[in-house]
């Protein structure tokens, strides 16, 4: 098939495995490679929580991926303050 590696831990990276690599090629490079299936519902839920927390800070959010975004935080506080507020919001929503 044409399944791709979406992420690789450090042990797999030591064998040259990287995101975007075709699984068949990855298993040739590392026969003992263990793949784990996506949990799309969980990724979607986590992404919605992340983006909800970002939009609570500012409407100026540009999504890049399920766990990345560009956020204009100009004038919203110091980086440490913003990180504390964001962490608190995520902790509150996820328990």
């Amino acid at each position: 098939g044409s399944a791709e590696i979406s992420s690789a831990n450090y042990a797999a990276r030591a064998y040259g495995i990287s995101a975007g690599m075709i699984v068949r090629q990855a298993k040739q490079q590392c026969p003992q490679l263990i793949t784990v299936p996506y949990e799309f519902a969980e990724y979607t839920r986590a992404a919605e929580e992340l983006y909800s927390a970002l939009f609570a800070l500012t409407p100026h959010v540009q999504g890049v991926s399920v766990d990345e975004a560009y956020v204009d935080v100009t004038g919203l506080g110091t980086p440490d303050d913003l990180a504390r507020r964001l962490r608190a919001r995520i902790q509150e929503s996820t328990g």
Side-chain angles (χ1 to χ4, degrees):
S2 61
E4 291 183 8
I5 302 292
S6 67
S7 181
N9 64 17
Y10 292 114
R13 290 179 194 169
Y15 286 88
I17 310 304
S18 62
M21 181 178 279
I22 302 298
V23 171
R24 181 181 42 221
Q25 176 189 356
K27 287 194 173 198
Q28 288 172 347
Q29 288 181 220
C30 181
Q32 67 272 29
L33 181 70
I34 298 170
T35 59
V36 179
Y38 288 106
E39 295 181 20
F40 288 110
E42 284 300 309
Y43 297 147
T44 299
R45 182 193 57 72
E48 288 172 351
E49 289 177 6
L50 170 66
Y51 280 94
S52 176
L54 294 174
F55 277 111
L57 290 175
T58 178
H60 306 289
V61 177
Q62 179 182 356
V64 177
S65 70
V66 68
D67 63 350
E68 295 178 276
Y70 294 108
V71 183
D72 181 359
V73 295
T74 303
L76 297 180
T78 67
D80 287 342
D81 176 54
L82 289 168
R84 276 191 292 277
R85 288 168 44 200
L86 189 56
R87 286 184 186 121
R89 167 92 181 179
I90 292 170
Q91 178 66 34
E92 179 182 299
S93 71
T94 61

